[in-house]
C-alpha cells in the first residue's frame, strides 16, 4: 500500500509512447537511486504516487511502476512480456498432459549490451536458476552496490537501440505489459495505422477484458487513487486505443482525474503522403475524442506543427539532438555565481521557455492560465545574494523566497493570468541511459560555463517546465481543422475501411472548430 500517498496509475499506449515512457521511468529511477546527500527533502517528492511495493513468490521485496502499457507484436525485443522480476517458472501453468510433448521454441532476441550491464548491477542469478532481486530499503529504490567500486555503466548508442525496452532501466510488474497480437510492430503488413483500427481493439472482449483486469488489479490496491496519467501515440492507430481507454476510465472511475499526453514524433517527410494524411486524421480524431473524456489533454512533439505542412524542429541552445500546450527550458540557463533573480532577468520575456506542443511560439498570444515548475536550483540560489546597500537590479531581487521570485516573474510577464509556481530542490538526473545531448559548455551539474569545457559528463541539470492554456491553441486547432477540411477522405479508403465513416469526419471537423473557439483571445479565462 502507498501509505497515504495519492496514487496515480499510468497507461502507455503505443511504441512512441513506450520511448517517452522509458525516459520518464528512467528519470524516476534515477531520482530513487540518487545519493542521500543530494536527495530532496522527504516532503518534496513521493515515489509511492507512481510506484507500488510488492513481493515475489520467493518473498523478495519489489518496487515497480504502477503501469499498464500496450504495444504490438514484435515490439519488446529481448524484454519478456511478464518482465524479469518474478521468474518464468512461477508464471507458467502446470501441464497436466502426460503424453508426448513437442516443444516449439522461438529464437530469442539478443539482449542489448546495456541491459546486460544493468542486470549484472542489480542482482544475481542463483544456482537454482532464479533471479534474486536485491532487497528494497526503507528509503525506496535500489540500494548501493555491495562492491567497493560500482562498475562504469555502458551508454546505449543510437545503433544499439531499436525499441524502447533497449534502454529501459526499471523492472516491470508481470501485470504491466499488455500485448496486442492482432497487429505487427515491424513489416509493411498488419500495421495499426488508423484510428478506427485502434477503437475496434478495445471493442473486442479479449483485449477489453484484459485491460479491465489489469485496471482492477492496480486500482483495488490503492488507498487514495487520485487519477490516471496517459501517454498515447497520436499519429497512428493508438489514437483510437487512447480514445476508447479514456472513455472507459471516465465511465468506470468517474470523479478521478485523467491527464492525457498526446505524443507525436518530430519532423516528418512530404515524401510519404499516405502516412502524413493518416497522421493528420489520427491526430484530429484522437484530440477530439480524448479531450471529451479527459480532465486535461496536452500534445507533445519536437515538431512545430500538427498539420500537413512540416515545420523545422524545436531547438534548445544547450542541447544537441537529431530529430516534447507544454513548454520547457532544458537545462535552465544558470551560470556559476548567479541567483534565480539574476537568471530570470537575463532570460527576459516569454522566451524563458520553448514550446513543446506543436503550437507555435508564445509571441502575440493571450495566456489564460499558467503552471510552472522549476527544479534543481540549490536553496542558496533562490534569492539575491547582493551585498547590503547595493542597488537592486530588479524587483525580483527584493523577494525573500524562491517561490516569491518565480511568482513575481510570472506576474510581470502575464499580469492578468491565473498562475502557480513551484520550486523543487531535486535536480533532473541525466545519468545513463539518458542520451548524451548536452553541449560541452555545461558543467557536471548543468551550469552554463564561459571557459573551456570541463570534460566531465553532465549528470544532473536544473529544468523549468510549464503548462499553459493560451490563445495559440485556437490557431493550432483551427489550422488542423482547415487541413482536415481540404482532404477528400474518400481517396483514403483504407482509413474509412477501418471503421470511420464520412459523417465521423464531419463531426470531428465540427468538434475541432468548437475547441478552437474556446481558446480565442479574451479578457478572462474561458471555460
Amino acid at each position: 500500500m502507498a501509505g497515504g500517498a495519492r496514487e496515480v496509475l499510468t497507461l502507455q499506449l503505443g511504441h512512441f509512447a513506450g520511448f517517452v515512457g522509458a525516459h520518464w521511468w528512467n528519470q524516476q529511477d534515477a531520482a530513487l537511486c540518487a545519493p542521500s546527500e543530494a536527495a530532496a527533502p522527504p516532503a518534496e517528492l513521493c515515489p509511492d504516487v507512481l510506484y507500488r511495493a510488492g513481493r515475489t513468490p520467493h518473498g523478495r521485496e519489489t518496487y515497480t511502476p504502477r503501469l499498464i502499457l500496450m504495444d504490438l507484436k514484435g515490439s519488446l525485443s529481448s524484454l519478456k512480456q511478464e518482465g524479469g522480476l518474478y521468474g518464468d517458472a512461477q508464471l507458467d501453468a502446470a501441464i497436466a498432459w502426460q503424453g508426448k510433448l513437442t516443444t516449439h521454441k522461438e529464437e530469442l532476441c539478443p539482449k542489448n549490451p546495456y541491459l546486460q550491464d544493468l542486470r549484472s548491477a542489480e542482482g544475481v542469478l542463483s544456482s537454482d536458476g532464479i533471479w534474486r532481486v536485491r532487497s528494497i530499503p526503507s528509503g525506496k529504490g535500489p540500494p548501493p552496490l555491495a562492491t567497493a567500486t560500482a562498475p562504469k555503466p555502458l551508454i546505449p548508442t543510437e545503433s544499439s537501440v531499436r525499441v524502447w525496452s533497449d534502454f529501459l532501466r526499471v523492472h516491470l510488474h508481470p501485470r504491466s505489459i499488455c500485448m496486442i497480437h492482432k497487429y505487427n510492430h515491424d513489416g509493411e503488413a498488419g500495421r495499426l495505422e488508423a484510428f478506427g483500427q485502434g477503437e475496434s481493439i478495445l471493442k473486442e472482449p479479449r483485449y477489453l477484458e484484459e485491460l479491465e483486469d489489469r485496471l482492477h488489479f492496480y486500482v483495488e490496491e490503492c488507498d487514495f487513487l487520485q487519477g490516471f496519467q496517459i501517454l498515447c501515440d497520436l499519429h497512428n492507430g493508438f489514437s483510437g486505443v487512447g480514445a476508447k481507454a479514456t472513455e472507459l476510465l471516465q465511465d468506470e472511475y468517474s470523479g478521478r482525474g485523467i491527464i492525457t499526453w498526446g505524443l507525436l514524433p518530430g519532423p516528418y517527410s512530404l515524401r510519404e503522403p499516405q502516412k502524413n494524411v493518416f497522421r493528420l486524421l489520427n491526430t484530429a480524431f484522437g484530440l477530439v475524442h480524448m479531450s471529451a473524456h479527459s480532465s486535461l489533454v496536452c500534445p507533445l512533439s519536437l515538431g512545430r506543427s500538427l498539420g500537413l505542412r512540416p515545420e523545422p524542429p524545436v531547438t534548445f541552445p544547450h542541447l544537441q539532438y537529431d530529430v516534447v500546450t507544454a513548454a520547457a527550458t532544458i537545462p535552465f540557463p544558470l551560470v556559476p555565481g548567479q541567483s534565480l533573480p539574476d537568471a530570470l532577468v537575463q532570460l527576459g520575456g516569454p522566451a524563458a521557455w520553448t514550446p513543446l506542443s506543436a503550437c507555435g511560439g508564445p509571441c502575440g498570444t493571450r495566456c489564460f492560465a499558467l503552471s510552472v515548475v522549476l527544479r534543481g536550483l540549490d536553496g542558496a540560489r533562490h534569492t539575491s545574494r547582493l551585498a547590503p546597500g547595493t542597488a537592486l537590479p530588479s524587483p525580483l531581487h527584493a523577494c525573500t523566497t524562491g517561490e516569491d521570485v518565480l511568482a513575481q516573474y510570472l506576474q510581470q510577464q502575464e499580469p492578468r493570468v491565473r498562475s502557480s509556481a513551484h520550486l523543487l530542490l531535486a535536480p533532473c538526473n541525466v545519468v545513463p541511459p539518458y542520451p548524451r545531448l548536452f553541449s560541452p559548455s555545461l558543467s557536471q551539474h548543468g551550469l552554463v560555463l564561459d571557459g573551456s569545457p570541463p570534460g566531465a559528463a553532465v549528470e544532473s541539470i536544473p529544468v523549468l517546465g510549464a503548462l499553459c492554456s493560451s490563445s495559440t491553441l485556437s490557431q493550432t486547432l483551427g489550422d488542423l481543422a482547415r487541413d482536415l477540411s481540404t482532404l477528400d477522405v474518400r481517396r483514403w479508403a483504407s482509413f474509412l475501411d477501418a471503421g470511420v465513416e464520412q459523417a465521423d469526419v464531419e463531426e470531428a471537423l465540427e468538434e475541432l472548430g468548437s475547441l478552437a473557439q474556446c481558446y480565442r483571445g479574451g479578457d478572462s479565462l474561458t471555460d
Side-chain angles (χ1 to χ4, degrees):
M1 295 299 179
R6 298 192 64 199
E7 304 97 338
V8 170
L9 173 57
T10 301
L11 279 71
Q12 288 172 205
L13 309 176
H15 201 69
F16 189 63
F19 276 98
V20 176
H23 281 299
W24 163 259
W25 293 112
N26 288 346
Q27 285 291 301
Q28 311 311 310
D29 184 75
L32 287 174
C33 300
S36 57
E37 65 268 18
E44 241 191 6
L45 299 171
C46 179
D48 289 340
V49 172
L50 297 169
Y51 281 75
R52 64 178 298 278
R55 195 175 294 272
T56 71
H58 294 279
R60 307 295 291 184
E61 292 180 341
T62 63
Y63 200 56
T64 54
R66 189 177 294 106
L67 168 68
I68 300 171
L69 69 85
M70 301 183 78
D71 211 335
L72 306 179
K73 181 174 63 177
S75 64
L76 296 182
S77 187
S78 60
L79 177 65
K80 296 179 180 180
Q81 183 173 343
E82 65 274 10
L85 277 181
Y86 287 70
D88 295 339
Q90 286 71 37
L91 295 174
D92 292 339
I95 301 176
W97 175 254
Q98 299 299 317
K100 184 179 179 180
L101 293 175
T102 302
T103 302
H104 299 271
K105 193 171 184 178
E106 185 178 8
E107 185 177 349
L108 296 177
C109 294
K111 186 176 289 292
N112 187 294
Y114 164 74
L115 295 181
Q116 294 178 359
D117 178 68
L118 173 66
R119 191 174 176 88
S120 66
E122 293 196 346
V124 294
L125 188 66
S126 62
S127 58
D128 59 1
I130 301 299
W131 180 254
R132 303 297 184 187
V133 184
R134 297 186 304 180
S135 299
I136 303 298
S138 58
K140 303 290 191 271
L145 293 173
T147 55
T149 303
K152 185 178 180 180
L154 294 177
I155 300 174
T157 62
E158 185 176 349
S159 61
S160 70
V161 173
R162 297 189 304 109
V163 296
W164 53 264
S165 61
D166 283 338
F167 63 91
L168 179 69
R169 67 168 288 120
V170 302
H171 290 290
L172 302 181
H173 189 273
R175 298 269 190 142
S176 280
I177 300 177
C178 178
M179 294 304 297
I180 301 173
H181 295 279
K182 185 176 180 179
Y183 296 101
N184 298 319
H185 169 65
D186 292 315
E188 295 301 320
R191 304 299 296 270
L192 183 59
E193 297 178 313
F195 178 88
Q197 291 174 300
E199 267 198 323
S200 67
I201 287 174
L202 291 186
K203 292 179 181 178
E204 294 185 25
R206 170 189 175 185
Y207 293 112
L208 178 60
E209 290 171 6
E210 188 169 0
L211 176 58
E212 289 179 329
D213 177 65
R214 293 164 193 266
L215 284 170
H216 293 159
F217 171 78
Y218 286 110
V219 169
E220 289 172 5
E221 68 179 9
C222 293
D223 292 326
F224 305 100
L225 178 71
Q226 64 174 304
F228 304 88
Q229 172 182 236
I230 300 176
L231 285 70
C232 181
D233 290 6
L234 271 183
H235 59 292
N236 55 36
F238 272 101
S239 64
V241 178
K244 295 302 292 182
T246 53
E247 181 181 354
L248 171 66
L249 294 177
Q250 188 184 55
D251 290 342
E252 293 288 329
Y253 305 99
S254 177
R256 308 296 185 185
I258 303 173
I259 297 180
T260 301
W261 307 95
L263 309 175
L264 299 102
Y268 50 91
S269 171
L270 290 175
R271 299 175 182 175
E272 300 176 297
Q274 176 168 322
K275 184 177 290 187
N276 290 335
V277 168
F278 274 44
R279 179 188 56 80
L280 177 75
L281 290 165
N282 291 326
T283 299
F285 274 89
L287 287 176
V288 165
H289 286 261
M290 285 189 275
S291 63
H293 303 295
S294 302
S295 311
L296 179 151
V297 174
C298 181
L300 289 177
S301 177
L302 287 172
R304 295 180 185 268
S305 170
L306 298 178
L308 286 174
R309 182 179 300 175
E311 299 284 348
V314 171
T315 58
F316 293 89
H318 300 290
L319 292 188
Q320 302 165 346
Y321 70 92
D322 299 327
V323 172
V324 232
T325 156
T329 303
I330 307 174
F332 184 76
L334 194 71
V335 303
Q338 260 192 341
S339 67
L340 176 57
D342 297 331
L344 291 175
V345 169
Q346 184 174 311
L347 282 172
W353 44 76
T354 301
L356 293 173
S357 290
C359 292
C363 295
T365 63
R366 170 79 167 90
C367 183
F368 307 127
L370 180 65
S371 178
V372 174
V373 176
L374 176 60
R375 60 180 298 180
L377 264 64
D378 182 82
R381 296 178 180 270
H382 284 186
T383 56
S384 175
R385 294 184 291 174
L386 296 175
T390 304
L392 299 180
S394 77
L396 301 181
H397 290 76
C399 297
T400 57
T401 68
E403 287 80 4
D404 289 344
V405 172
L406 193 52
Q408 176 75 8
Y409 173 78
L410 297 178
Q411 181 66 21
Q412 289 177 357
Q413 303 306 317
E414 299 286 352
R416 297 183 295 172
V417 171
R418 300 180 186 179
S419 62
S420 66
H422 304 277
L423 262 69
L424 301 178
L425 296 178
C428 179
N429 293 294
V430 291
V431 295
Y434 198 92
R436 292 293 182 243
L437 305 175
F438 304 99
S439 75
S441 63
L442 296 181
S443 72
Q444 187 176 6
H445 298 295
L447 299 182
V448 181
L449 302 177
D450 292 329
S452 58
V458 179
E459 295 182 357
S460 65
I461 57 173
V463 174
L464 182 146
L467 284 175
C468 180
S469 175
S470 74
S471 60
T472 187
L473 287 166
S474 179
Q475 180 176 341
T476 299
L477 295 170
D479 290 346
L480 185 62
R482 278 187 288 276
D483 281 352
L484 185 58
S485 67
T486 63
L487 290 180
D488 183 358
V489 186
R490 293 170 297 182
R491 291 183 54 197
W492 311 100
S494 57
F495 189 88
L496 296 178
D497 291 344
V500 174
E501 299 179 355
Q502 182 67 37
D504 297 323
V505 178
E506 300 299 328
E507 184 178 350
L509 271 171
E510 184 177 341
E511 291 294 333
L512 281 174
S514 297
L515 282 173
Q517 183 70 21
C518 291
Y519 293 96
R520 291 186 63 185
D523 293 332
S524 61
L525 182 65
T526 304
D527 292 329

